[in-house]
Amino acid sequence: MGLPTDGSLALDSLNTHASEYDEQTTDFVADDVNALSLSTARNSSYVGSSSISAALKVMAVLCPDIMKHSSLTAPNSPFNKSERSSIAYMPVTREVEANYVDAYFGHVHPILPMIHEARFRQSFEAREAEHDPAWGVLVNMVLAMGAIAGETCPDSIHAVFYQRAKSMLSFDLFGSGKLEVVQALTLMGGLYLHYCNRPNMAVATTGAALRMAYALGLHRKSPSELLGGELPPIPNGELEIKRRTWWSLCCVDTWGSTTLGRPSMGDIFGPAISVSRMSFDDFKDYPLEEQAPALTGSTMFCQISAQIQDKLAKKPILGLAEAALFDAQLQEQYNSLPPLLRSPNRCPTNLLVPRAILKWQHQNARLLLHRPMLLAAALSHKLPSELSIPEQESINACRALAADSIVDIACDWQPDPICGWHAVWYLFQASMVPLVSLFYEYRNAAECGKWHGQIEMVMRLLQSMELWSPVAKRTKDVITELHQSALLMQSEESPPRMDRINTQHLYNQQTPFGYDNGWANNTWLNFVDWPSLPMEGADFGQASMFSR
């Protein structure tokens, strides 16, 4: 009946992928998150319906000639091969490193408060990392993330610390059973590798961290809790640090799964996990900075988000009733947050960015519940009036959420590199909805004006974020080109589009869409290539995840 027999089938058919993938190539940027790897000329990994790739592929199906009007060319790398090798190992003074430690605890730690700050600073001052590889990996990953957080439109200095950490991360460390290794891998796989556009390396690293966490028993209650005792009275106590490390790891795994449209890493919120859940009642008599409010809110959100992602991994479109139920749960959970985690209420400065990201995550999760319905409707080429009332309501909800997301990002984003990193990506996600709508209902003049206005607002926002995100300008250029294609499509009497999706082509042809155009010969890779960084001779763009 309608969408279930053609639109949803075609949507699932677009998720083609090679039997192998390669993120180490020096020729192309392997951005599976933002759909830069659509060509079969290079191997791309599987991404699901919640990825940006799904929306871009639908636009390509609706307008096969979308690339003919592109004026973008691939940007030149700012480094040649010899420069990459030398810059990656450039010396950094202790004073600069100390600044990056401060930046980490000021900007990253409020989001993932899993490291004992006083203990870490003591170890850093004592140069303990020079004698303990586990601490060495952790210290350098803190410095890498601190370098990103502490610089305006960060340069490649973070690569220095990543290379150090990687050189210390021997295979033997995976058998060492140290908490510091789990924390380092959480930062590496949960944040850094996504930032550096290595999503598959990121999720593999996070998976290894989860297995190590299981081996350390971080998922289980402590002996004192099993005997009926209370949580340790000190927020930075050893048991509490272990608990926060576990839930931080679960959060980054869920974020990464949503970004790639893949199932989560096992039932990390299931009955086998007995470690105490984060609660806003924990340590409420202590100073706010010791209570980990952002992590508590994120853990509650991720418990719902992981269920949604596992459902979407099975089928690209949820049942309307099921989607409505998850939507209600997300709204209820967000509204239950304490006032300081909900804008525009006042909150400490160091929570402005974590709470903004948390809000955008909620909105994006709700949007992704409904967006597959819009994509399937577009692929089916049914007029909106031919859809059922619940289907129309789901599409309208998706569009309303996208519009709200754009406005809220405009209101809540901060001039901060961590915030800019996330804001650009969530803007890109939200912009997919009005863009797809323009290609789908290009003759709907009344609504098209509204969607054009939303895209123009996104482009203005991205321009204002260029100082705080290294990919803001390139993202704006991509959206501009797609927007211009939509405008051209509206202006033509007989726009070049397919009357119906030929799903046989989608299954049988090497190219994702069954025709040979820019999407099959790397034109799209050049169209949305990203700046390269000096990482052992492998070019990569700083875009990904809750990334861009």
Side-chain angles (χ1 to χ4, degrees), residues 14-16 31-38 44-45 47-59 259 371 375 429 432 513 519:
L14 292 178
N15 292 324
T16 57
D31 190 347
D32 292 323
V33 174
N34 298 310
L36 308 186
S37 304
L38 301 181
S44 171
S45 62
V47 291
S49 62
S50 65
S51 67
I52 286 178
S53 171
L56 289 172
K57 289 178 179 180
V58 168
M59 283 185 267
T259 301
R371 193 179 71 183
L375 301 184
Q429 272 279 23
M432 293 297 103
F513 310 114
W519 299 82

Side-chain angles (χ1 to χ4, degrees), residues 154-456:
D155 57 21
S156 61
I157 191 67
H158 55 81
V160 176
F161 306 114
Y162 171 68
Q163 292 296 340
R164 290 182 188 172
K166 196 166 69 167
S167 68
M168 296 177 181
L169 190 61
S170 67
F171 199 74
D172 291 339
L173 271 186
F174 285 93
S176 67
K178 290 192 174 183
L179 183 66
E180 294 82 13
V181 178
V182 176
Q183 293 170 332
L185 293 177
T186 299
L187 292 177
M188 183 183 291
L191 296 178
Y192 184 80
L193 288 172
H194 281 289
Y195 179 87
C196 294
N197 193 29
R198 289 288 186 267
N200 292 301
M201 288 177 63
V203 295
T205 302
T206 304
L210 272 167
R211 292 304 180 191
M212 292 185 71
Y214 279 124
L216 287 170
L218 300 188
H219 65 299
R220 303 294 294 170
K221 284 185 177 181
S222 66
S224 62
E225 288 181 289
L226 291 173
L227 293 173
E230 299 296 328
L231 283 172
I234 303 175
N236 282 325
E238 181 182 357
L239 292 179
E240 177 62 11
I241 290 297
K242 288 181 177 179
R243 181 173 75 136
R244 293 184 183 185
T245 299
W246 169 260
W247 291 121
S248 295
L249 182 53
C250 290
C251 285
V252 299
D253 176 71
T254 304
W255 298 341
S257 298
T258 302
T259 301
L260 292 168
R262 298 174 184 169
S264 59
M265 180 71 176
D267 195 3
I268 53 179
F269 294 95
I273 311 303
S274 64
V275 63
S276 300
R277 299 288 172 90
M278 302 296 296
S279 170
F280 291 113
D281 292 330
D282 295 341
F283 315 114
K284 58 185 178 182
D285 295 329
Y286 282 80
L288 182 63
E289 59 270 16
E290 298 183 22
Q291 296 178 31
L295 177 60
T296 301
S298 292
T299 302
M300 294 175 175
F301 160 73
C302 286
Q303 184 174 358
I304 303 173
S305 181
Q307 296 177 52
I308 294 171
Q309 201 51 50
D310 288 345
K311 294 282 187 179
L312 287 173
K314 295 177 183 177
K315 53 184 179 180
I317 303 178
L318 297 184
L320 294 170
E322 189 174 33
L325 179 61
F326 277 127
D327 196 333
Q329 290 179 11
L330 286 168
Q331 291 184 69
E332 181 181 1
Q333 193 273 313
Y334 183 79
N335 292 332
S336 71
L337 295 174
L340 64 86
L341 286 181
R342 289 182 282 119
S343 60
N345 300 308
R346 297 184 62 181
C347 79
T349 303
N350 69 340
L351 282 181
L352 287 173
V353 172
R355 82 168 183 181
I357 294 172
L358 184 58
K359 182 178 184 179
W360 302 337
Q361 287 171 337
H362 273 84
Q363 290 175 321
N364 186 62
R366 293 180 61 203
L367 184 151
L368 294 178
L369 284 171
H370 301 287
R371 193 179 71 183
M373 184 61 68
L374 170 63
L375 301 184
L379 288 175
S380 72
H381 284 250
K382 285 190 172 184
L383 296 174
S385 59
E386 297 178 290
L387 305 177
S388 70
I389 297 299
E391 289 169 348
Q392 294 179 44
E393 290 175 346
S394 181
I395 291 174
N396 290 337
C398 176
R399 288 168 172 165
L401 284 164
D404 289 345
S405 295
I406 294 168
V407 172
D408 286 340
I409 291 173
C411 293
D412 294 335
W413 89 277
Q414 302 291 317
D416 172 278
I418 298 297
C419 192
W421 171 23
H422 288 76
V424 168
W425 188 76
Y426 284 113
L427 273 178
F428 201 21
Q429 272 279 23
S431 70
M432 293 297 103
V433 174
L435 282 170
V436 170
S437 297
L438 286 170
F439 285 104
Y440 171 36
E441 296 186 57
Y442 62 96
R443 290 194 177 96
N444 188 343
E447 292 296 315
C448 282
K450 180 170 62 179
W451 299 327
H452 286 305
Q454 291 169 8
I455 295 302
E456 289 165 1

Side-chain angles (χ1 to χ4, degrees), residues 31 34 36 52 56 72 420-421 423-432 435 455 458-459 461-463 465-466 469-483 524 527-531 542-544 547-548:
D31 190 347
N34 298 310
L36 308 186
I52 286 178
L56 289 172
L72 288 182
W421 171 23
V424 168
W425 188 76
Y426 284 113
L427 273 178
F428 201 21
Q429 272 279 23
S431 70
M432 293 297 103
L435 282 170
I455 295 302
V458 167
M459 290 188 289
L461 281 170
L462 289 171
Q463 185 172 3
M465 295 174 182
E466 288 180 10
S469 168
V471 295
K473 183 181 185 303
R474 197 65 185 175
T475 303
K476 178 173 70 72
D477 292 343
V478 172
I479 294 175
T480 298
E481 289 289 339
L482 292 170
H483 187 217
W524 181 248
F527 176 43
V528 279
D529 205 357
W530 303 100
Q542 292 178 310
S544 170
S547 124
R548 216 175 42 3

